[in-house]
Amino acid sequence: MSHDENLHWESYLPAGWRPLFRQLLADLHSAGISVRVTQAKEKFGELRVYIDRPDQAAAPLIAAAEQRSTRMCQECGAAGELMVGNYLYATLCEKHGAGFTKPLGRPMISLNLRYPKDD
Ligand SMILES: [Zn+2]
């Protein structure tokens, strides 16, 4: 559960969110929460952080960081909002959002739900 092990995930994140991710790790550490990050990435213009096990203390801190990412340019960390361009969603400031447009709504995710008994 080393800090460095978790920190390496920041290289998978857009530059603008790396300080946000580092702050999350610092907050987890100072709250005495020891979790292992198993993945950190951008998905549909939002930060996603996954940990190795459910943790009731870590969950709200992670959710808060993910929520903050929706208002923070993923390129530079300035105030941003969800934009879309070339079918890609990204949270961008005015400068980095040049060429992007505001989407009509949040990204839609279609799930193909199947149950084991259907197999
Ligand atoms: Zn920006």
Side-chain angles (χ1 to χ4, degrees), residues 5 14-16 19 22 33 44 51 64 72 74 81 91 108 112:
E5 201 178 312
R22 282 196 292 271
I33 302 164
F44 297 123
I51 55 177
M72 183 180 280
Q74 63 192 56
E81 62 181 316
T91 298
M108 296 285 286
N112 182 14

Side-chain angles (χ1 to χ4, degrees), residues 16 72-80 91-97:
M72 183 180 280
C73 176
Q74 63 192 56
E75 297 300 321
C76 71
T91 298
L92 299 166
C93 66
E94 201 171 326
K95 179 185 160 201
H96 289 112

Side-chain angles (χ1 to χ4, degrees), residues 42 44-45 82-92 100-101 103 107:
E42 175 276 329
F44 297 123
L82 186 68
M83 304 292 277
V84 63
N86 289 326
Y87 306 101
L88 291 172
Y89 288 91
T91 298
L92 299 166
F100 284 70
T101 56

Side-chain angles (χ1 to χ4, degrees), residues 46-62:
E46 288 183 28
L47 172 69
R48 297 288 166 84
V49 177
Y50 302 94
I51 55 177
D52 58 333
R53 59 184 162 80
D55 187 297
Q56 287 190 351
L61 293 174
I62 293 171

